[in-house]
Structures are given as structure tokens and as C-alpha cells.
Amino acid sequence: MAAVAVVALAGLGAGIAALAFDRDGDDTASDGGSRDKTTATAPATKTPGEKPSKPSPSGKSSAAPSKSAVPAGYELVEDPFGFSIAVPEGYSRVVKGPRVYYNSPGMEFRIGIHVQEQDPKGPLRLSREADARGPQDYPGYRSGQVIETQRDGLPAALWAFIWNGSADDGGSRQTYDLTWDEAGKMYDVWVSAPVGKKSEGKQHFDTAVDSFSRPADQN
């Protein structure tokens, strides 16, 4: 899993070394928590045009990705929760509580985003605590790995693991989860995929993280 986690970091793009998400868990946990059970569905909305450059918190100039920069087979969506992100075409937007999800038809691949207030514990400690709870929260939890890293020079943590999946999943699942602090908020982006298609899931994860843009990046 150490090798998997290292590989998971390789495709995050310049200035990104890891990531994590809300610590209630991915998919359906044994304690009844869930990121995949949803309450509302709506089609993704494509971005109408390119985004201007703007100063980043570090003082460097950066820009939100334009439609032309999004990989083939993906679309850049402007989410009502106040961020933009590139997701595979044809995914459905689902909201559950404070989280938003973009799911493939049949729920085979799941992309989750959570924007919340920063926690004094920080991304790394929260991720390590989630990893420690893994055997209680996820049946068959294994290959858990937490790596301290940065995203654009800001504190971040990558949490990756495998678990048995829910009764509806038909097999084990691989999860990649990135959390970082920025501009007074904690951002969490994760992707869950069947273990047999984890390479495709990793691609979706890298694209989601590389394309993610917070509200300040869009002004």
C-alpha cells in the first residue's frame, strides 16, 4: 500500500503532494455512516467559459482551468456549493447533507467533495484518526496509508485504503482521499472505485484534485 500511496501522489500535478476528506467515511461504513447514500440528483452544469488569472494565497499567479484544459471525456462543472471541478461526462450530481457527490451511472465510481470550517487538529491528524478507526468503520479495512503532504504549499494529507465494499458494490473498493486547509476552510476531495478498476479511479482522482478551484480562484 505504501507503493500505491506513493503512486497516488505522482499524478496530482505541480504544487500538490497529497489529499484527504471529511472523516465520516467513504461509501457505507459499518457504523451506518455513508457518503454514497444520497437525497437529491441533478445533471452536472458545464462552465460557460474560461477563468481569469488571479493572485494565489502564496502571491503566485494561478488560474482556474478552462474548458480547453480539461482532459477529453471530462467536463468542468460550476457547483452551487461554490467551487469548480472536472468530472467525467455523464456523471450525476447528488447532495447529502453538507457534501456533494458526482457519481457514475450505476454508482461504480464516486467523487465526493466537502467544504467545511477548519479543524484545529489539521488534515494530517484527522486523517490518521480516520485510519485508526478504519477497522471499525469499514468491513475488511486494509492497506490503509496516510501521507503528510502539501497542496500548493498548504498543509494537506493523503489517505488511501481498501475495504470490502457494501452489499450493493459487488466487491472490494479502493479509496483515495485528500484533505487540505486553505483560506480558513478545509477542503476534502475523494474518489472511490472498484479495486479492479483502481487505475481508472486514480485518474478520476488526479483530475478532480488538479482541476479543483475554490471561490477565490474564480474571481
Side-chain angles (χ1 to χ4, degrees):
M1 186 58 211
V4 172
V6 171
V7 171
L9 297 177
L12 294 184
I16 300 176
L19 56 158
F21 203 104
D22 173 61
R23 298 307 145 199
D24 289 345
D26 164 42
D27 303 328
T28 302
S30 60
D31 62 358
S34 172
R35 286 186 177 178
D36 287 338
K37 294 183 179 179
T38 58
T39 57
T41 303
T45 302
K46 293 186 179 181
T47 301
E50 295 188 0
K51 297 295 179 183
S53 296
K54 53 80 200 161
S56 69
S58 64
K60 298 179 180 179
S61 177
S62 62
S66 67
K67 289 176 62 177
S68 61
V70 174
Y74 292 81
E75 59 182 342
L76 189 65
V77 299
E78 296 279 7
D79 193 90
F81 277 22
F83 60 85
S84 64
I85 192 171
V87 301
E89 294 176 348
Y91 275 37
S92 297
R93 180 179 184 271
V94 180
V95 177
K96 184 177 186 299
R99 306 176 189 87
V100 60
Y101 308 88
Y102 287 88
N103 300 323
S104 66
M107 303 282 290
E108 187 176 32
F109 296 96
R110 305 154 193 166
I111 301 171
I113 306 97
H114 188 194
V115 182
Q116 59 187 311
E117 296 301 316
Q118 287 186 8
D119 190 301
K121 294 180 180 179
L124 182 61
R125 181 175 172 185
L126 288 175
S127 296
R128 286 174 172 169
E129 289 179 353
D131 177 56
R133 293 195 309 269
Q136 290 76 48
D137 292 343
Y138 301 95
Y141 183 88
R142 57 197 182 275
S143 301
Q145 181 78 14
V146 175
I147 297 177
E148 182 178 13
T149 185
Q150 295 181 346
R151 184 183 190 274
D152 292 340
L154 300 170
L158 171 68
W159 178 32
F161 65 92
I162 297 173
W163 73 296
N164 289 347
S166 68
D168 296 330
D169 287 327
S172 298
R173 300 188 64 82
Q174 171 76 61
T175 297
Y176 301 106
D177 188 354
L178 177 71
T179 300
W180 73 96
D181 286 340
E182 183 173 358
K185 299 290 185 180
M186 177 176 285
Y187 295 88
D188 191 347
V189 176
W190 60 259
V191 170
S192 174
V195 167
K197 297 183 178 181
K198 64 182 180 180
S199 295
E200 185 176 350
K202 173 60 169 48
Q203 178 181 334
H204 296 335
F205 176 73
D206 290 344
T207 301
V209 172
D210 289 346
S211 65
F212 184 90
S213 177
R214 66 187 182 86
D217 297 330
Q218 302 172 35
N219 297 327

